[in-house]
Coordinates of all heavy atoms in Angstrom, one line a residue:
L344 N 13.6 6.1 -0.9 CA 13.8 4.8 -0.3 C 12.6 3.9 -0.5 O 12.7 2.7 -0.2 CB 14.2 4.9 1.2 CG 15.5 5.6 1.6 CD1 15.7 5.5 3.1 CD2 16.6 4.9 0.8
L345 N 11.5 4.4 -0.9 CA 10.3 3.6 -1.0 C 10.4 2.6 -2.2 O 10.9 3.0 -3.3 CB 9.0 4.4 -1.2 CG 8.8 5.4 0.0 CD1 7.5 6.3 -0.3 CD2 8.6 4.6 1.3
P346 N 10.0 1.4 -2.0 CA 10.1 0.4 -3.1 C 9.3 0.9 -4.3 O 8.2 1.3 -4.2 CB 9.5 -0.8 -2.6 CG 9.5 -0.7 -1.1 CD 9.5 0.8 -0.8
G347 N 10.0 0.9 -5.5 CA 9.4 1.4 -6.7 C 9.5 2.9 -7.0 O 9.1 3.3 -8.1
A348 N 10.2 3.6 -6.1 CA 10.4 5.1 -6.3 C 11.6 5.4 -7.3 O 11.5 6.3 -8.0 CB 10.5 5.8 -5.0
V349 N 12.7 4.7 -7.1 CA 13.9 5.0 -7.9 C 14.1 3.9 -8.9 O 13.8 2.7 -8.7 CB 15.1 5.0 -7.0 CG1 16.3 5.4 -7.8 CG2 14.9 6.0 -5.9
G350 N 14.5 4.2 -10.1 CA 14.7 3.3 -11.2 C 15.6 2.1 -10.8 O 15.1 1.0 -10.8
E351 N 16.8 2.3 -10.5 CA 17.7 1.2 -10.1 C 18.0 1.1 -8.6 O 18.6 2.1 -8.1 CB 19.1 1.4 -10.8 CG 19.0 1.8 -12.3 CD 20.0 2.8 -12.7 OE1 21.1 2.5 -12.8 OE2 19.5 4.0 -12.9
P352 N 17.5 0.1 -8.0 CA 17.6 0.0 -6.5 C 19.1 -0.1 -6.2 O 19.5 0.4 -5.1 CB 16.9 -1.3 -6.2 CG 16.2 -1.8 -7.4 CD 16.7 -1.0 -8.5
E353 N 20.0 -0.5 -7.1 CA 21.4 -0.7 -6.8 C 22.1 0.7 -6.5 O 22.8 0.8 -5.6 CB 22.1 -1.3 -7.9 CG 23.2 -2.2 -7.5 CD 23.8 -3.0 -8.7 OE1 23.3 -4.0 -9.1 OE2 24.8 -2.4 -9.3
S354 N 21.6 1.7 -7.3 CA 22.2 3.0 -7.1 C 21.9 3.6 -5.7 O 22.6 4.5 -5.2 CB 21.8 4.0 -8.2 OG 20.4 4.2 -8.2
V355 N 20.8 3.2 -5.1 CA 20.4 3.6 -3.8 C 21.4 3.0 -2.8 O 22.0 3.6 -1.9 CB 19.0 3.3 -3.4 CG1 18.7 3.6 -2.0 CG2 18.0 4.1 -4.3
N356 N 21.5 1.7 -2.9 CA 22.3 0.9 -1.9 C 23.8 1.4 -1.8 O 24.4 1.4 -0.8 CB 22.2 -0.6 -2.1 CG 21.0 -1.2 -1.5 OD1 20.6 -0.8 -0.5 ND2 20.5 -2.1 -2.3
E357 N 24.4 1.7 -3.0 CA 25.8 1.9 -3.1 C 26.2 3.3 -2.7 O 27.3 3.7 -2.6 CB 26.2 1.7 -4.5 CG 26.4 0.2 -4.8 CD 27.0 -0.1 -6.1 OE1 27.6 0.8 -6.7 OE2 26.9 -1.2 -6.5
E358 N 25.1 4.1 -2.3 CA 25.5 5.5 -2.0 C 26.3 5.7 -0.7 O 26.2 4.8 0.2 CB 24.2 6.4 -1.9 CG 23.9 6.9 -3.3 CD 22.5 7.5 -3.3 OE1 22.2 8.2 -2.3 OE2 21.8 7.2 -4.3
S359 N 27.0 6.8 -0.6 CA 27.9 7.0 0.5 C 27.4 6.7 1.8 O 28.1 6.0 2.6 CB 28.4 8.5 0.4 OG 27.4 9.3 0.4
F360 N 26.2 7.2 2.2 CA 25.8 7.0 3.5 C 25.3 5.7 3.9 O 25.0 5.3 5.0 CB 24.9 8.2 3.9 CG 25.5 9.5 3.8 CD1 25.2 10.4 2.8 CD2 26.5 9.9 4.8 CE1 25.9 11.6 2.7 CE2 27.2 11.1 4.7 CZ 26.9 11.9 3.6
S361 N 25.2 4.8 2.9 CA 24.9 3.4 3.1 C 26.2 2.6 3.4 O 26.2 1.8 4.3 CB 24.2 2.8 1.9 OG 23.0 3.5 1.6
T362 N 27.3 2.9 2.7 CA 28.5 2.2 3.0 C 29.2 2.8 4.3 O 30.0 2.2 4.9 CB 29.5 2.3 1.8 OG1 29.9 3.7 1.7 CG2 29.0 1.8 0.6
G363 N 28.9 4.0 4.6 CA 29.5 4.7 5.7 C 30.7 5.5 5.3 O 31.4 6.2 6.1
L364 N 31.0 5.5 4.0 CA 32.1 6.2 3.4 C 31.6 7.3 2.4 O 30.5 7.1 1.8 CB 33.1 5.3 2.7 CG 34.0 4.4 3.6 CD1 34.8 3.5 2.7 CD2 34.9 5.1 4.6
L365 N 32.4 8.3 2.2 CA 32.1 9.3 1.1 C 32.3 8.5 -0.2 O 33.0 7.5 -0.3 CB 32.9 10.5 1.2 CG 32.7 11.4 2.4 CD1 33.6 12.6 2.4 CD2 31.3 11.8 2.6
E366 N 31.7 9.1 -1.3 CA 31.8 8.6 -2.6 C 33.2 8.8 -3.1 O 33.8 9.8 -2.9 CB 30.8 9.3 -3.5 CG 30.4 8.6 -4.7 CD 29.0 8.0 -4.5 OE1 28.8 7.3 -3.5 OE2 28.2 8.3 -5.3
Y367 N 33.6 7.8 -4.0 CA 34.9 8.0 -4.7 C 34.7 9.0 -5.8 O 33.6 9.3 -6.2 CB 35.4 6.7 -5.3 CG 34.3 5.9 -6.1 CD1 34.0 6.3 -7.4 CD2 33.7 4.8 -5.5 CE1 33.0 5.6 -8.1 CE2 32.7 4.1 -6.2 CZ 32.4 4.5 -7.5 OH 31.4 3.8 -8.2
P368 N 35.8 9.6 -6.3 CA 35.7 10.6 -7.4 C 35.1 10.0 -8.7 O 35.6 8.9 -9.1 CB 37.0 11.1 -7.6 CG 37.9 10.5 -6.6 CD 37.2 9.4 -6.0
Q369 N 34.2 10.7 -9.4 CA 33.7 10.2 -10.6 C 34.1 11.1 -11.8 O 34.3 12.3 -11.6 CB 32.1 10.2 -10.6 CG 31.6 9.5 -9.4 CD 30.8 8.3 -9.7 OE1 31.3 7.5 -10.6 NE2 29.7 8.1 -9.1
Y370 N 34.2 10.5 -13.0 CA 34.5 11.2 -14.2 C 33.7 10.7 -15.4 O 33.4 9.6 -15.4 CB 36.0 11.0 -14.6 CG 37.0 11.6 -13.5 CD1 37.4 10.8 -12.4 CD2 37.5 12.9 -13.7 CE1 38.3 11.3 -11.5 CE2 38.4 13.4 -12.7 CZ 38.8 12.6 -11.6 OH 39.6 13.1 -10.7
T371 N 33.5 11.6 -16.3 CA 32.9 11.2 -17.6 C 33.6 12.0 -18.7 O 34.6 12.7 -18.4 CB 31.4 11.4 -17.6 OG1 30.8 10.8 -18.8 CG2 31.0 12.9 -17.6
R372 N 33.2 11.8 -20.0 CA 33.9 12.4 -21.1 C 33.9 13.9 -21.0 O 32.9 14.5 -20.4 CB 33.4 11.9 -22.4 CG 33.9 10.6 -22.7 CD 33.3 10.1 -24.0 NE 31.9 9.6 -23.7 CZ 31.2 8.8 -24.5 NH1 31.8 8.2 -25.6 NH2 30.0 8.4 -24.2
P373 N 34.9 14.7 -21.4 CA 36.0 14.2 -22.2 C 37.2 13.8 -21.2 O 37.2 14.1 -20.0 CB 36.5 15.4 -23.0 CG 36.1 16.6 -22.1 CD 34.8 16.1 -21.4
R374 N 38.2 13.0 -21.8 CA 39.3 12.5 -21.1 C 40.1 13.6 -20.5 O 40.8 13.4 -19.4 CB 40.2 11.7 -22.0 CG 39.8 10.3 -22.2 CD 40.7 9.7 -23.3 NE 40.3 8.3 -23.4 CZ 41.1 7.3 -23.4 NH1 42.4 7.5 -23.2 NH2 40.7 6.1 -23.6
E375 N 40.2 14.8 -21.1 CA 40.9 15.9 -20.6 C 40.1 17.1 -20.7 O 39.5 17.4 -21.8 CB 42.3 16.1 -21.3 CG 43.1 17.2 -20.7 CD 44.5 17.4 -21.3 OE1 45.0 16.4 -21.9 OE2 45.0 18.5 -21.2
Y376 N 40.0 17.9 -19.7 CA 39.2 19.1 -19.7 C 40.0 20.2 -19.0 O 40.3 20.1 -17.8 CB 37.8 18.9 -19.0 CG 36.9 20.1 -19.2 CD1 36.4 20.4 -20.5 CD2 36.6 20.9 -18.1 CE1 35.6 21.5 -20.6 CE2 35.8 22.0 -18.3 CZ 35.3 22.4 -19.5 OH 34.5 23.5 -19.7
R377 N 40.2 21.3 -19.7 CA 41.0 22.5 -19.1 C 42.2 22.0 -18.3 O 42.6 22.4 -17.2 CB 40.1 23.3 -18.2 CG 38.9 23.8 -19.0 CD 38.2 25.0 -18.3 NE 37.1 25.4 -19.1 CZ 36.3 26.4 -18.9 NH1 36.5 27.1 -17.8 NH2 35.3 26.8 -19.7
G378 N 42.9 21.1 -19.0 CA 44.2 20.6 -18.5 C 44.1 19.6 -17.4 O 45.1 19.1 -16.9
M379 N 42.9 19.3 -17.0 CA 42.7 18.2 -15.9 C 42.4 16.9 -16.6 O 41.4 16.8 -17.4 CB 41.5 18.6 -15.0 CG 41.8 19.9 -14.2 SD 40.4 20.4 -13.2 CE 39.4 21.1 -14.4
R380 N 43.2 15.9 -16.2 CA 43.0 14.5 -16.9 C 42.2 13.6 -16.0 O 42.3 13.7 -14.8 CB 44.4 13.9 -17.1 CG 45.2 14.6 -18.2 CD 46.0 13.6 -19.0 NE 46.7 14.3 -20.1 CZ 47.9 14.8 -19.9 NH1 48.6 14.6 -18.8 NH2 48.5 15.5 -20.9
V381 N 41.5 12.7 -16.6 CA 40.9 11.6 -15.9 C 42.0 10.6 -15.5 O 42.9 10.3 -16.3 CB 39.9 10.9 -16.9 CG1 39.3 9.6 -16.2 CG2 38.8 11.8 -17.3
P382 N 42.0 10.2 -14.2 CA 43.0 9.3 -13.7 C 43.1 8.1 -14.6 O 42.1 7.5 -15.0 CB 42.5 8.9 -12.3 CG 41.7 10.0 -11.9 CD 41.0 10.6 -13.1
E383 N 44.4 7.8 -14.9 CA 44.7 6.7 -15.9 C 44.0 5.4 -15.6 O 43.6 4.7 -16.5 CB 46.3 6.6 -15.9 CG 46.8 5.6 -16.9 CD 46.4 5.9 -18.3 OE1 46.3 7.0 -18.7 OE2 46.0 4.9 -19.0
V384 N 44.0 5.0 -14.3 CA 43.4 3.7 -13.9 C 42.0 3.5 -14.4 O 41.7 2.4 -14.8 CB 43.5 3.6 -12.4 CG1 42.8 4.7 -11.6 CG2 43.0 2.2 -11.9
L385 N 41.2 4.6 -14.5 CA 39.8 4.5 -14.9 C 39.7 4.2 -16.4 O 38.6 3.7 -16.9 CB 39.1 5.8 -14.6 CG 38.9 6.1 -13.1 CD1 38.2 7.4 -12.9 CD2 38.3 5.0 -12.3
L386 N 40.8 4.4 -17.1 CA 40.8 4.1 -18.6 C 41.4 2.8 -18.9 O 41.4 2.3 -20.0 CB 41.5 5.2 -19.3 CG 41.1 6.7 -19.0 CD1 42.1 7.6 -19.7 CD2 39.7 7.0 -19.4
S387 N 41.9 2.1 -17.9 CA 42.7 0.9 -18.0 C 41.9 -0.4 -18.4 O 42.4 -1.3 -18.9 CB 43.5 0.6 -16.8 OG 42.6 0.2 -15.7
G388 N 40.6 -0.4 -18.1 CA 39.7 -1.6 -18.3 C 40.0 -2.7 -17.3 O 39.4 -3.7 -17.4
D389 N 40.9 -2.5 -16.4 CA 41.3 -3.5 -15.3 C 40.3 -3.3 -14.1 O 40.6 -2.5 -13.3 CB 42.8 -3.2 -14.9 CG 43.3 -4.2 -13.9 OD1 42.4 -4.9 -13.3 OD2 44.5 -4.4 -13.8
H390 N 39.3 -4.1 -14.1 CA 38.2 -3.8 -13.2 C 38.6 -4.0 -11.7 O 38.1 -3.3 -10.8 CB 37.0 -4.7 -13.5 CG 36.4 -4.3 -14.8 ND1 35.9 -3.1 -15.1 CD2 36.4 -5.0 -16.0 CE1 35.5 -3.1 -16.4 NE2 35.8 -4.2 -16.9
A391 N 39.5 -4.9 -11.5 CA 40.0 -5.1 -10.1 C 40.8 -4.0 -9.6 O 40.7 -3.4 -8.5 CB 40.9 -6.4 -10.0
R392 N 41.7 -3.4 -10.5 CA 42.5 -2.2 -10.2 C 41.6 -1.0 -10.0 O 41.8 -0.2 -9.1 CB 43.5 -1.9 -11.3 CG 44.9 -2.0 -10.9 CD 45.8 -1.6 -12.0 NE 46.2 -0.2 -12.0 CZ 46.4 0.5 -13.1 NH1 46.2 0.0 -14.3 NH2 46.7 1.8 -13.0
I393 N 40.6 -0.9 -10.8 CA 39.6 0.2 -10.7 C 38.9 0.1 -9.3 O 38.8 1.2 -8.6 CB 38.6 0.2 -11.8 CG1 39.3 0.6 -13.1 CG2 37.4 1.2 -11.6 CD1 38.5 0.4 -14.4
A394 N 38.4 -1.0 -9.0 CA 37.7 -1.2 -7.7 C 38.6 -0.9 -6.5 O 38.2 -0.2 -5.6 CB 37.2 -2.6 -7.6
A395 N 39.9 -1.3 -6.6 CA 40.8 -1.1 -5.5 C 41.1 0.5 -5.4 O 41.1 1.0 -4.3 CB 42.1 -1.8 -5.7
W396 N 41.3 1.1 -6.6 CA 41.5 2.6 -6.6 C 40.3 3.3 -6.0 O 40.5 4.2 -5.2 CB 41.8 3.0 -8.0 CG 42.1 4.5 -8.2 CD1 43.3 5.1 -7.9 CD2 41.1 5.5 -8.5 NE1 43.2 6.5 -8.2 CE2 41.8 6.8 -8.4 CE3 39.7 5.5 -8.8 CZ2 41.2 8.0 -8.7 CZ3 39.1 6.8 -9.0 CH2 39.8 8.0 -9.0
R397 N 39.1 2.9 -6.4 CA 37.9 3.6 -5.9 C 37.8 3.4 -4.4 O 37.5 4.4 -3.6 CB 36.7 3.1 -6.6 CG 36.5 3.6 -8.0 CD 35.4 3.0 -8.7 NE 35.1 3.8 -9.9 CZ 34.2 3.4 -10.8 NH1 33.6 2.2 -10.7 NH2 34.0 4.2 -11.9
A398 N 38.0 2.2 -3.9 CA 37.9 2.0 -2.5 C 38.9 2.8 -1.7 O 38.6 3.4 -0.7 CB 38.1 0.5 -2.2
E399 N 40.1 2.9 -2.2 CA 41.1 3.7 -1.5 C 40.8 5.2 -1.5 O 41.0 5.9 -0.6 CB 42.5 3.4 -2.2 CG 43.7 3.8 -1.4 CD 44.6 4.7 -2.1 OE1 45.5 4.2 -2.7 OE2 44.5 5.9 -2.0
Q400 N 40.3 5.7 -2.7 CA 39.9 7.1 -2.8 C 38.8 7.4 -1.8 O 38.8 8.4 -1.2 CB 39.5 7.4 -4.2 CG 40.6 7.4 -5.2 CD 41.5 8.6 -5.1 OE1 40.9 9.7 -5.0 NE2 42.8 8.5 -5.1
A401 N 37.8 6.5 -1.7 CA 36.7 6.7 -0.8 C 37.2 6.8 0.6 O 36.7 7.6 1.4 CB 35.7 5.6 -1.0
R402 N 38.1 5.9 1.0 CA 38.6 5.9 2.4 C 39.4 7.2 2.6 O 39.2 7.9 3.7 CB 39.5 4.7 2.6 CG 38.7 3.4 2.8 CD 39.6 2.3 3.4 NE 40.8 2.0 2.5 CZ 40.9 1.1 1.6 NH1 39.8 0.4 1.3 NH2 42.0 1.0 0.9
E403 N 40.3 7.6 1.7 CA 41.1 8.7 1.9 C 40.3 10.0 1.9 O 40.5 10.9 2.8 CB 42.1 8.8 0.7 CG 43.3 9.6 1.0 CD 44.1 9.3 2.3 OE1 43.9 8.3 2.9 OE2 44.9 10.2 2.7
R404 N 39.3 10.1 1.1 CA 38.4 11.3 1.1 C 37.7 11.4 2.5 O 37.5 12.5 3.0 CB 37.3 11.1 0.1 CG 37.7 11.7 -1.2 CD 36.5 11.9 -2.1 NE 36.9 12.7 -3.2 CZ 36.1 13.1 -4.1 NH1 34.9 12.8 -4.1 NH2 36.6 13.9 -5.1
T405 N 37.2 10.2 2.9 CA 36.4 10.3 4.2 C 37.3 10.6 5.3 O 37.0 11.4 6.2 CB 35.8 8.8 4.4 OG1 35.1 8.5 3.2 CG2 34.9 8.9 5.6
R406 N 38.6 10.1 5.4 CA 39.5 10.3 6.4 C 39.9 11.9 6.4 O 39.8 12.4 7.5 CB 40.8 9.6 6.2 CG 41.8 9.6 7.3 CD 43.0 8.8 7.0 NE 43.9 9.3 6.0 CZ 44.8 10.3 6.1 NH1 45.0 10.9 7.2 NH2 45.5 10.6 5.0
L407 N 40.1 12.5 5.3 CA 40.4 13.9 5.2 C 39.2 14.8 5.5 O 39.4 15.8 6.2 CB 41.0 14.2 3.9 CG 42.4 13.6 3.6 CD1 42.8 13.8 2.2 CD2 43.5 14.2 4.6
R408 N 38.1 14.5 4.9 CA 37.0 15.4 5.0 C 36.0 15.2 6.1 O 35.3 16.1 6.5 CB 36.2 15.4 3.7 CG 37.0 15.8 2.5 CD 36.0 15.7 1.3 NE 36.9 15.9 0.1 CZ 36.3 16.1 -1.1 NH1 35.0 16.2 -1.2 NH2 37.0 16.2 -2.2
R409 N 35.8 13.9 6.5 CA 34.8 13.6 7.5 C 35.3 12.6 8.5 O 35.0 11.5 8.6 CB 33.6 13.0 6.8 CG 32.8 13.9 5.9 CD 32.1 15.0 6.8 NE 31.2 14.5 7.8 CZ 30.0 14.1 7.5 NH1 29.4 14.3 6.4 NH2 29.3 13.5 8.5
P410 N 36.3 13.2 9.4 CA 36.9 12.4 10.4 C 35.8 11.6 11.3 O 36.1 10.5 11.8 CB 37.7 13.4 11.3 CG 37.6 14.7 10.6 CD 36.8 14.6 9.4
D411 N 34.6 12.2 11.5 CA 33.6 11.6 12.2 C 33.1 10.3 11.6 O 33.0 9.2 12.2 CB 32.4 12.5 12.4 CG 31.8 13.1 11.1 OD1 32.5 13.2 10.1 OD2 30.6 13.3 11.1

Side-chain angles (χ1 to χ4, degrees):
L344 292 186
L345 301 177
V349 183
E351 313 139 74
E353 218 174 273
S354 63
V355 171
N356 277 325
E357 285 187 12
E358 270 168 43
S359 53
F360 297 106
S361 305
T362 66
L364 291 175
L365 298 181
E366 203 100 307
Y367 50 76
Q369 306 248 44
Y370 295 88
T371 187
R372 282 177 284 200
R374 279 178 179 228
E375 185 176 335
Y376 187 70
R377 300 197 178 182
M379 297 178 282
R380 291 219 175 86
V381 174
E383 184 52 44
V384 56
L385 297 178
L386 310 173
S387 70
D389 182 341
H390 297 297
R392 242 182 94 215
I393 291 170
W396 181 83
R397 285 178 166 169
E399 200 229 271
Q400 291 284 316
R402 287 194 302 268
E403 197 54 12
R404 271 198 167 180
T405 307
R406 187 176 72 79
L407 292 171
R408 298 185 192 191
R409 290 294 303 274
D411 57 328

